Amino acid sequence: MAKSYWIGDVLSGSHDGAEVELKGWVHRSRGSNKIRFVVLRDSTGTVQCVIKRETVGDSVFEDLAGALIESSVVLKGTVSPTDREHGHEVQVSSGEVIGPVSPDRPFPITESAMAEADGGETEFLLDNRHLYLRTGRMTTMLKIRSSVFGAIHSYFRDLDFVEYQAPNFVAGAVEGGSTLFEVPYFGRKAYLTQSWQLYAEAAMPSLERLYTVAPSFRAEKSRTRRHLTEFWHAEMEIAWGGNEEVMNHGEALVRNVAGKLLEEREAELTDLGRDLDLVSRYADSKYPRMRYDEAIETLQGLGIAVEWGQDLDYSKEKVLTQDFDVPHFLTHYPRIAKPFYHRPDPDDPKYVLCHDLLAPEGYGEIIGGGERTWSEKEILERIDEEGTPREPYEFYIDVRRYGGVPHGGFGMGVDRVCSWLSGADHIRETIPFPRDSRRVTP
Ligand code: 4AD
Ligand code: MG
């Protein structure tokens, strides 16, 4: 049952005049008792197939004419160029329905169903997410997503980084207790990991340059356009490097991802209405660095109520990044705004040597990273000042006790990057089955 012909190739003209066997799903169907026009869909596109009773015979004609939307079919025929939509159509000589759709239960995602669902459209589509995946918009998004993942892996592998896996069940927080997911664990408590980082630091003396792309979990109670409870996290860690080196990797990675998308997914970005000039600007420009204090002054200058010492939430980042033409790094956050693992700046320990990368167009944070506190004395001080128990972090402190070295890394929210680069309105558009505080189904 292997497949040899793809609709994308038919549309590109490479099978003009040739006999093809197309396998796919009925996207639309209309016609009369004598002739049917079936728009067939596969993962590479849609093409109109013309089925004539006098050519295919009564029995095949009846079967194909009765194939409802999303029935799977195999159609054989000859490709001919036309003036109609897509420029090519297939004159069908024979065909077969493989997986029918019953008239008792037609495919639920139709334009009229969406109109009826009205304001509930989003919930309706989320309830039917498993079927919504087949629509053109999701196919396009998922292809863009695949290229983003591919670009991340090739960026790190080309630089001889080793891909490394950390556990997902952990005993302590990385990014603060308020978003920890607690799981019962054989009479004890465990948590779903918020980040690969701490276990990556343990392997830093072994591998020196390491990365992962893996899910992270955060019990985010509020539903926003940039938070998921399960998101995909691209993280890296390097030995013998500080905030600057880590930022340079973050910048190079994001530029690479934007460049790869233009190379591989220009058609998909165009389909989504994305401005390609913006994406190429993100691929080609340098990303400026700005200190946290400067950002606070800018925000205060705009009349935004924000106090020194606060981490910047989305409402602030949105305002700040609205007029950015490229992503900007914000560096040197106040020590009190960031978790214990960030290294205090030796020049002014009120600040830590960290960075967030903020995407323009109001998107906000896509990367968080920095230099790690790497001496035993300093890490104990930071853990104690946060009021965190030391016990779950003994393994982490040991990394400092046995040959600690300067090191650092970052985490990039892959779904956020997909959302920003594709121009999506909401992060859930970019992931097949989005998880938030209200939804774990389907
Ligand atoms: O800034 P965060 O919390 O940093 C860390 O987790 C570090 N331990 C990473 C490291 O240094 N290895 O998260 C990193 C990025 C954010 O910038 C954001 O893009 C993404 O992860 N992120 C989320 N994406 C979607 N939904 C959420 N709930 C997210 N929380 C963080
Ligand atoms: Mg952050």
Side-chain angles (χ1 to χ4, degrees), residues 35 84 156 167 214 240 273 281 338 387 389 405 421-422:
I35 182 165
R84 275 195 280 270
F156 287 117
W240 315 107
R281 192 197 297 156
K338 290 285 178 187
V405 297
L421 289 176
S422 66

Side-chain angles (χ1 to χ4, degrees), residues 61-228:
F61 186 84
E62 294 298 335
D63 283 354
L64 295 177
L68 298 184
I69 288 177
E70 288 306 314
S71 304
S72 53
V73 297
V74 176
L75 297 177
K76 267 192 195 157
T78 308
V79 179
S80 57
T82 75
D83 307 334
R84 275 195 280 270
E85 194 189 2
H86 299 319
H88 292 81
E89 61 184 24
V90 177
Q91 306 299 328
V92 175
S93 55
S94 68
E96 185 188 350
V97 177
I98 305 297
V101 170
S102 157
D104 301 336
R105 200 186 257 274
F107 193 67
I109 303 178
T110 58
E111 273 167 30
S112 62
M114 279 165 65
E116 246 170 69
D118 204 16
E121 183 186 312
T122 305
E123 290 304 315
F124 167 74
L125 293 180
L126 286 168
D127 287 341
N128 286 289
R129 189 70 169 190
H130 53 297
L131 301 177
Y132 186 57
L133 294 184
R134 309 173 179 207
T135 60
R137 186 169 173 90
M138 277 313 295
T139 304
T140 300
M141 279 292 185
L142 294 177
K143 287 180 182 177
I144 288 176
R145 184 177 173 90
S146 168
S147 288
V148 170
F149 276 70
I152 296 167
H153 284 288
S154 46
Y155 174 80
F156 287 117
R157 284 172 178 262
D158 287 352
L159 293 173
D160 285 334
F161 276 67
V162 174
E163 185 176 359
Y164 164 84
Q165 291 81 27
N168 288 318
F169 286 125
V170 296
V174 191
E175 299 299 327
S178 69
T179 61
L180 267 182
F181 266 117
E182 199 177 299
V183 231
Y185 200 80
F186 305 104
R188 271 176 295 156
K189 268 187 213 167
Y191 306 101
L192 294 179
T193 193
Q194 296 167 309
S195 163
W196 159 98
Q197 178 193 327
L198 304 193
Y199 290 90
E201 286 184 59
M204 172 276 298
S206 157
L207 300 172
E208 295 186 300
R209 290 169 290 184
L210 52 158
Y211 85 101
T212 199
V213 188
S216 282
F217 304 89
R218 309 258 172 120
E220 310 277 1
K221 281 157 212 90
S222 55
R223 300 166 86 216
T224 76
R225 23 182 95 238
R226 58 175 210 166
H227 287 94
L228 295 164

